[in-house]
Amino acid sequence: MNRTLIGIPVYNGAASIIDSINSCLNQTTSVNILVVDNCSDDETVNAVREKFHNIDNFTLIENETNVGRVGNWNICLDYFEKSDFSYFKFLFPGDLLPINATKKSEDYFNSYDVAIVCGRYEHVQKNGSSKFDCNKLKPGFYNFQQLIDSKLYPSHVTGCFNKWVFSRKSLNQHRFNEIFLGGHTFSNNLLLGKNIYFTDDILGKFVQNHHKSFHKQADLSYHAEYLYTYNLGLEMSKQYHVPFIFGLRKLYTILFFLKNIILSKIKGFIK
């Protein structure tokens, strides 16, 4: 049986989802693919059915009603938690997996007791050029206290969804909070008190032109969300912090938010 399930939540992704699914099928280690369609009104469902209806390791779920962007992510997690798969990875329409991404992540899970394997990713920008992110820690195994001491927890550990994979035991019925744009609360919950493995391997390819909400990361509301979720993560992990450092990190979040308010006002004035 395959050990990794790749979940692809989609809404109106007919123009890009086929390439994403093919990148999953082309993995050197076989995976199962789950597509959850959120009431698309384009040709997404027809395109997927026509191309992959006879693939044994492929499953298509069609929502009866539109449950929203984040709600659709959670349906993927519901399916995974009820299944027998050991590992889960999100992939979004238009994004791609390097051919050996699954093999590498499963090898790390086999070698280390970790909740998450986190690699790097290729970011294909709007103009077609690529840049590659860098992990803030050297490759290797890190326990939760090391993430705290490195100031990566909360909210700075994982980053782009398609560069990390998580294990079944870390999920523990955690779900995305549907009032938020981002997934910081989810990744914070997955990692609380657990271990991670960082690798320099490229585990995903993010194609910006296929992400309609990417620009919202510059909105002030997104920074306000970050402030709240970061502070929530601090409170959840308070026992792991030195009290004085804990206070400084709380202060940092306030200054960070004020800085972004000022910058947004300046940009508005310039326009």
Side-chain angles (χ1 to χ4, degrees):
M1 175 181 171
N2 297 334
R3 303 183 69 191
T4 298
L5 175 67
I6 299 174
I8 308 177
V10 59
Y11 174 74
N12 287 353
S16 57
I17 194 170
I18 300 301
D19 287 342
S20 300
I21 296 172
N22 281 331
S23 77
C24 299
L25 294 173
N26 290 335
Q27 293 295 291
T28 54
T29 295
S30 183
V31 300
N32 273 60
I33 304 153
L34 169 70
V35 170
V36 182
D37 181 77
N38 199 24
C39 298
S40 295
D41 55 19
D42 67 354
E43 290 298 308
T44 296
V45 170
N46 290 336
V48 167
R49 278 182 178 162
E50 180 181 350
K51 185 77 174 177
F52 304 109
H53 69 277
N54 61 345
I55 304 295
D56 291 337
N57 56 334
F58 176 83
T59 300
L60 170 65
I61 294 177
E62 297 177 63
N63 296 339
E64 293 183 359
T65 59
N66 189 313
V67 297
R69 173 174 172 265
V70 176
N72 207 32
W73 300 352
N74 285 332
I75 289 178
C76 293
L77 298 179
D78 292 341
Y79 183 95
F80 171 62
E81 197 150 51
K82 293 174 183 176
S83 73
D84 294 323
F85 299 104
S86 300
Y87 314 118
F88 184 89
K89 182 183 182 75
F90 275 110
L91 190 68
F92 295 95
D95 293 345
L96 305 170
L97 293 183
I99 193 168
N100 57 358
T102 302
K103 181 182 186 307
K104 288 185 175 181
S105 62
E106 288 188 3
D107 286 346
Y108 292 124
F109 278 119
N110 290 336
S111 301
Y112 301 94
D113 180 20
V114 293
I116 287 177
V117 170
C118 185
R120 299 169 59 213
Y121 73 99
E122 178 184 356
H123 180 168
V124 181
Q125 301 175 89
K126 291 185 70 174
N127 62 7
S129 64
S130 290
K131 63 179 182 179
F132 296 84
D133 80 317
C134 295
N135 286 323
K136 297 179 180 179
L137 294 176
K138 294 180 180 179
F141 172 91
Y142 292 88
N143 62 37
F144 186 69
Q145 187 61 57
Q146 289 173 306
L147 296 179
I148 294 288
D149 295 341
S150 301
K151 301 181 179 61
L152 289 183
Y153 189 96
S155 303
H156 290 158
V157 180
T158 49
C160 180
F161 283 163
N162 69 12
K163 75 170 190 173
W164 52 283
V165 189
F166 60 85
S167 66
R168 163 178 295 282
K169 64 181 180 180
S170 68
L171 184 56
N172 195 27
Q173 298 185 334
H174 294 308
R175 296 294 186 272
F176 291 94
N177 189 322
E178 296 185 25
I179 69 171
F180 296 134
L181 172 68
H184 291 312
T185 53
F186 176 70
S187 59
N188 286 344
N189 285 331
L190 286 187
L191 267 175
L192 184 64
K194 301 184 183 74
N195 309 319
I196 190 170
Y197 190 90
F198 283 110
T199 171
D200 272 342
D201 297 318
I202 304 297
L203 297 185
K205 185 174 183 178
F206 176 93
V207 183
Q208 185 176 328
N209 284 330
H210 296 302
H211 290 264
K212 297 176 182 177
S213 63
F214 181 79
H215 68 281
K216 292 184 178 180
Q217 297 182 41
D219 291 352
L220 191 59
S221 59
Y222 184 84
H223 293 295
E225 174 184 309
Y226 169 82
L227 174 68
Y228 176 80
T229 57
Y230 183 88
N231 274 278
L232 184 62
L234 281 178
E235 291 295 337
M236 290 193 306
S237 58
K238 189 173 183 178
Q239 62 179 306
Y240 295 91
H241 290 81
V242 176
F244 175 70
I245 300 299
F246 180 81
L248 287 179
R249 295 187 73 180
K250 295 280 280 188
L251 177 61
Y252 157 78
T253 61
I254 298 172
L255 295 176
F256 175 85
F257 187 57
L258 290 175
K259 180 201 76 172
N260 282 287
I261 290 177
I262 293 169
L263 289 177
S264 68
K265 295 294 185 182
I266 293 173
K267 289 178 180 177
F269 177 76
I270 292 173
K271 289 181 180 179

